[in-house]
Amino acid sequence: MAVSTVYTTQSLNSTCSISTPAKTHLGFHQKQVVFYRRTSKKGSSSGSGSGSGSGSCVITCSAGDSQTVVIGLAADSGCGKSTFMRRLTSVFGGAAEPPKGGNPDSNTLISDMTTVICLDDYHSLDRTGRKEKGVTALDPRANDFDLMYEQVKAIKNGVAVDKPIYNHVTGLLDPPELIKPPKILVIEGLHPMFDERVRDLLDFSIYLDISNEVKFAWKIQRDMAERGHSLESIKASIEARKPDFDAYIDPQKKYADAVIEVLPTQLIPDDNEGKVLRVRLIMKEGVKNFSPVYLFDEGSTISWIPCGRKLTCSYPGIKFHYAPDSYFGNEVSILEMDGQFDRLDELIYVESHLSNISTKFYGEVTQQMLKHADFPGSNNGTGLFQTIVGLKIRDLYEQITSSKTAAPLEATKA
Amino acid sequence: MATLSSLSLVTTRAVANVPDTTVKVPYLNQPWKRVSQLGCRRMQAFRAVRAAPDGISEKVEKSIKEAQEACSDDPASGECVAAWDEVEELSAAASHARDKNKDSDPLENYCKDNPETDECRTYDN
C-alpha cells in the first residue's frame, strides 16, 4: 500500500500538485514532490508555482524506499532491442505498453514494475536539424546528454519528470510526457553508456553487439518487404552509418556489464543465410549484485555438446563453450552457444546443466522462452541469453531492494 | 481468387471498426464502379497487409531516393551520411508499425478500453 505523508505548516493554502499513483496493489513507493505557495494579499490565484515570489517552499514527502533501479541497454537500430525489452518486462510479469491516453507515437513502454525509456527522446536535433548539419543520430552532437543525465538522476531519486518525445514517424520533437518513477527504469538506445555521468547512474548495463554479417542479414529480413528498398540500398545504408557507429556507439561495449555478441555460426561451413547463430554472453566479473552464469565449474574452460546418447538433436546441433577471458582489459566469463533448439526437451536439458541462472524454479528459463516462442531468436542463443539476463536483472533488483533502508522525510525551505 | 476475396473481407471489417486505417474501399459504396476497379483495389488492399501503413512506406521510398541523390555527388559528405541515417530510421519505424498492425485485433483493442460494452462482456458460469 502506498502511504505518503504530507507535513503541513499552519496557514498553508495549498495548491499541491500530487501525481496520483497509477497502480495501487503493488504499492508504488514514490517520493512525491509537493509545491505549495502561500497566498499573499495581492497574490494571484494561478496554479502551483515553484519559486514564484517569496515564501514558496518545496516539501518532499517520501514513503519508504524510493530508489529506482536503472538498467541501460545499448544497441544499434534493428538489433533486437525491442525484443529484448519485451522479454525483460515479461520476466517481471505483465506486458509493457505505451502510456494510455498520451501521444500515440510515444516510444515509452510502461508495465507494472518497469518503465522503458527510449533515449531517442533526448535528441537535441530533429530530423531536419540533423539533415541541415549533416550529422546522424549516432553522433553525440545530436543528443542532449545534460538533459538525459538530469532526468535519469531525477527518476532514480523518485522524482517524476517531463520527458520530451521524439516522434519517429514525423521526425519532430513532440511536447513532453510525464514519466513517474517506476521500480525499474530501463533506458534503451544508442548512447546509454556514452556519457560518464549517466553511466554512473546505471545499476546494470547491457550491450547488444551484432556482427556485420548478421546485421546485414537481419536488416534484409526487416526491410525487403518495403517497396523502395533493394539490396544495394540496405547495404549503402549500413555502410554510410558505419563510421559514426564505430566511433561513437561501439566503444560503449567496454563499459557494459554484460555483452551479448551475435556472430555467424561455426557449425555450418560457409553459411551465409544467418539462420543459425553463434551467440556469446560476455559477463564482467566483480559487478555488484551480479554473479555470472557458468557451466559445470566456475572459472574453468569447458566445451560441451549436449547432443549424444541422452539427447538427440537435428542438424546442425548445439555446442556450448564456457571460459574465463579478458575483454578490453576487464576480467570476464564468456558463455557461448552455437546452434539452435528444435525441441522443448533440448531446452530443458540445457537449462538443467547451467548454473547460477537465478531462476526461482526448475524450468523457468524454458517456460519464459516458450511463452514467447513467436519472438525472433526464440530457438537460439539470442533468446536464451536475453532471458537469462532478464532473470539476472530480476535477481539484481531483489538484492538491491532488500538491502535498502527507508529514506528519511525532509522539508527544505527555498 | 478465394484467398484474395477473404483478404479484402478482412480489410473491410477493419475499416468498419477502426476508422483511421488507410485502406480505402470505396467500391463497396459505389457498386457500379466495382467491376472496373475490383482488380486494382484488391491489389492495393493486399499490398497494404504486407507493407507498413502507406504514410510511412511512402516516406521510406522518398528518403531512399533522396539519399541516393545526395550521395551521387559526394559519398563521404555529411549530407549523404545523414540521408542514409534517415532511411534507416524510417525503415525501423516502418517495421515497428508493421509489427503493431500485424498483432492488433480491432475487437481486442476496443474491448481493452471498453470491457463493459455488450460485445466485450465475458461470462464465466
Side-chain angles (χ1 to χ4, degrees):
Chain A
M1 209 169 75
V3 173
S4 153
T5 48
V6 178
Y7 279 21
T8 58
T9 57
Q10 64 236 110
S11 70
L12 166 64
N13 277 0
S14 66
T15 45
C16 264
S17 63
I18 304 180
S19 52
T20 52
K23 305 284 187 286
T24 51
H25 75 282
L26 279 179
F28 245 148
H29 296 288
Q30 304 187 31
K31 193 186 282 187
Q32 315 280 18
V33 177
V34 174
F35 295 104
Y36 82 94
R37 189 185 58 185
R38 277 189 247 124
T39 55
S40 55
K41 281 274 164 49
K42 49 178 179 165
S44 55
S45 57
S46 53
S48 58
S50 56
S52 51
S54 61
S56 106
C57 316
V58 170
I59 305 174
T60 50
C61 23
S62 144
D65 56 279
S66 56
Q67 274 267 329
T68 302
V69 173
V70 184
I71 313 283
L73 173 64
D76 193 9
S77 109
C79 288
K81 285 196 299 278
S82 316
T83 313
F84 195 164
M85 284 302 102
R86 282 147 82 193
R87 281 193 209 274
L88 183 58
T89 45
S90 158
V91 160
F92 287 103
E97 284 165 1
K100 284 202 169 44
N103 189 332
D105 290 322
S106 161
N107 304 309
T108 311
L109 296 174
I110 300 188
S111 78
D112 285 338
M113 300 255 303
T114 61
T115 292
V116 181
I117 288 185
C118 177
L119 291 179
D120 286 348
D121 291 333
Y122 293 109
H123 280 330
S124 50
L125 299 169
D126 63 8
R127 206 176 283 157
T128 29
R130 291 200 299 267
K131 216 181 337 199
E132 278 165 28
K133 291 222 169 132
V135 297
T136 61
L138 306 159
D139 197 311
R141 287 175 288 169
N143 298 290
D144 187 352
F145 288 106
D146 294 327
L147 183 64
M148 192 193 293
Y149 166 63
E150 274 163 31
Q151 295 206 334
V152 175
K153 187 161 91 150
I155 296 180
K156 185 161 182 157
N157 293 326
V159 178
V161 297
D162 276 318
K163 178 190 64 71
I165 298 179
Y166 177 75
N167 191 322
H168 281 105
V169 177
T170 59
L172 304 167
L173 285 161
D174 285 348
E177 60 181 349
L178 182 71
I179 303 289
K180 298 191 206 112
K183 295 204 173 120
I184 299 170
L185 174 72
V186 183
I187 54 174
E188 55 103 349
L190 297 162
H191 305 97
M193 295 168 261
F194 185 83
D195 188 89
E196 196 178 338
R197 304 165 294 177
V198 180
R199 213 186 303 149
D200 290 335
L201 292 173
L202 300 176
D203 292 300
F204 193 73
S205 49
I206 306 149
Y207 183 89
L208 292 180
D209 183 13
I210 316 294
S211 76
N212 295 323
E213 302 90 347
V214 177
K215 197 184 278 193
F216 188 35
W218 285 3
K219 292 212 169 156
I220 292 175
Q221 270 173 37
R222 185 191 74 179
D223 290 337
M224 278 313 259
E226 283 302 319
R227 38 166 206 247
H229 257 305
S230 62
L231 219 61
E232 292 79 30
S233 66
I234 297 174
K235 197 147 181 260
S237 171
I238 295 180
E239 277 173 16
R241 296 171 86 244
K242 207 162 182 312
D244 273 356
F245 179 79
D246 289 337
Y248 305 120
I249 314 296
D250 212 43
Q252 292 178 87
K253 59 188 184 195
K254 59 178 177 282
Y255 301 117
D257 297 320
V259 176
I260 298 183
E261 195 179 347
V262 183
L263 304 153
T265 182
Q266 286 176 331
L267 299 175
I268 305 175
D270 303 324
D271 172 62
N272 56 0
E273 274 187 36
K275 291 270 162 62
V276 183
L277 297 171
R278 174 174 164 228
V279 189
R280 306 170 84 219
L281 177 60
I282 301 168
M283 298 163 281
K284 207 187 264 189
E285 291 285 349
V287 176
K288 198 152 171 273
N289 299 319
F290 171 65
S291 46
V293 182
Y294 65 89
L295 194 57
F296 177 57
D297 181 21
E298 204 170 358
S300 44
T301 301
I302 316 270
S303 219
W304 180 46
I305 299 178
C307 315
R309 289 207 193 104
K310 277 201 251 174
L311 183 72
T312 38
C313 319
S314 44
Y315 182 77
I318 305 171
K319 187 161 165 207
F320 274 87
H321 183 78
Y322 167 75
D325 204 343
S326 154
Y327 187 73
F328 292 103
N330 300 314
E331 287 290 312
V332 297
S333 299
I334 305 186
L335 176 64
E336 184 181 313
M337 172 179 162
D338 198 351
Q340 50 188 30
F341 298 112
D342 279 317
R343 294 191 326 275
L344 171 65
D345 46 347
E346 290 172 16
L347 192 43
I348 195 88
Y349 190 82
V350 161
E351 180 183 347
S352 59
H353 287 83
L354 288 171
S355 311
N356 233 347
I357 39 178
S358 305
T359 48
K360 294 219 160 115
F361 53 85
Y362 173 72
E364 191 175 10
V365 172
T366 306
Q367 188 196 63
Q368 282 291 330
M369 298 266 287
L370 286 177
K371 204 158 93 169
H372 303 294
D374 54 327
F375 285 4
S378 293
N379 64 342
N380 60 36
T382 47
L384 176 67
F385 292 150
Q386 286 177 358
T387 308
I388 291 179
V389 169
L391 295 170
K392 284 288 178 198
I393 291 178
R394 182 183 67 185
D395 182 48
L396 178 134
Y397 168 73
E398 282 164 5
Q399 284 183 49
I400 292 180
T401 43
S402 64
S403 63
K404 207 83 61 70
T405 53
L409 283 151
E410 48 190 295
T412 56
K413 243 204 165 107
Chain B
M1 207 51 190
T3 46
L4 271 178
S5 59
S6 61
L7 265 170
S8 63
L9 270 175
V10 167
T11 49
T12 48
R13 182 161 28 106
V15 167
N17 287 340
V18 184
D20 57 344
T21 54
T22 52
V23 176
K24 296 185 262 294
V25 282
Y27 69 86
L28 270 187
N29 296 328
Q30 297 158 332
W32 57 91
K33 282 194 185 168
R34 189 192 284 225
V35 175
S36 54
Q37 295 195 351
L38 200 55
C40 51
R41 285 281 174 239
R42 278 186 171 169
M43 281 313 292
Q44 273 194 17
F46 182 58
R47 207 195 297 156
V49 171
R50 277 186 47 220
D54 279 327
I56 304 184
S57 278
E58 277 158 14
K59 282 195 175 142
V60 172
E61 231 183 319
K62 207 172 65 144
S63 66
I64 295 177
K65 288 206 189 76
E66 280 174 17
Q68 282 164 342
E69 279 165 29
C71 292
S72 53
D73 327 315
D74 178 14
S77 67
E79 290 89 39
C80 173
V81 172
W84 281 119
D85 187 46
E86 189 181 327
V87 169
E88 168 61 38
E89 190 190 340
L90 284 166
S91 307
S95 138
H96 285 145
R98 231 181 301 142
D99 288 340
K100 212 160 48 160
N101 284 348
K102 192 169 54 166
D103 295 333
S104 66
D105 177 12
L107 184 63
E108 288 292 330
N109 290 344
Y110 176 70
C111 288
K112 228 185 322 186
D113 298 325
N114 311 285
E116 71 287 347
T117 49
D118 283 340
E119 301 95 346
C120 302
R121 290 172 71 150
T122 51
Y123 301 92
D124 286 325
N125 52 356

